[in-house]
Amino acid sequence: MKKHLISQLALCAGLAFTALAAQADDVQGSAQAGAGKVWLCTGCHSIPDYRADYPLVYRVPMLGGQNAGYIAVALSEYKKGERKHPTMRAIAGSLSDQDMADIGEYYAAQTSSSPINPLK
């Protein structure tokens, strides 16, 4: 009985993991769509050497050229509370998975010569 229960739990866990992986694969970001979603990001992330001082002093990174997947995962971690910054958590909390993927793709496409956001 115990072996049967363990095998059923393992099967359920495997199916849940597969479903989550499939759902993550379904979200395809668009840099073009992301351009309309980064307006709030640029207030901090486009200022060279900017430091936010609430609740602690944080160095705010420039995002241009960063890996799209990394940005989407970071935003998701802020939303879930796994990363601790109150402003980023509030902003990420308002974003869908599609928004996060779009923002990631937008910043991944930025270079030093990008005309839309030259400061990245």
Side-chain angles (χ1 to χ4, degrees):
M1 176 82 168
K2 188 175 182 180
K3 283 185 181 181
H4 181 67
L5 179 61
I6 291 173
S7 65
Q8 284 184 335
L9 287 174
L11 177 64
C12 289
L15 290 173
F17 178 76
T18 302
L20 287 174
Q23 180 180 1
D25 289 341
D26 289 343
V27 178
Q28 297 294 318
S30 162
Q32 185 176 6
K37 299 176 182 182
V38 297
W39 61 273
L40 194 55
C41 307
T42 59
C44 296
H45 289 283
S46 67
I47 303 170
D49 299 318
Y50 182 65
R51 286 175 172 47
D53 62 2
Y54 177 81
L56 301 170
V57 177
Y58 291 91
R59 183 187 160 280
V60 178
M62 302 293 274
L63 298 177
Q66 182 59 267
N67 179 282
Y70 174 80
I71 291 174
V73 167
L75 288 169
S76 177
E77 290 172 349
Y78 280 117
K79 184 174 186 172
K80 292 185 250 181
E82 294 170 2
R83 288 188 180 211
K84 308 292 181 197
H85 189 277
T87 304
M88 284 300 303
R89 184 164 188 194
I91 292 167
S94 70
L95 301 173
S96 68
D97 290 345
Q98 185 64 58
D99 293 335
M100 293 179 204
D102 292 342
I103 290 169
E105 289 297 333
Y106 172 81
Y107 278 111
Q110 299 301 300
T111 66
S112 59
S113 61
S114 296
I116 296 173
N117 186 8
L119 295 176
K120 294 177 259 165

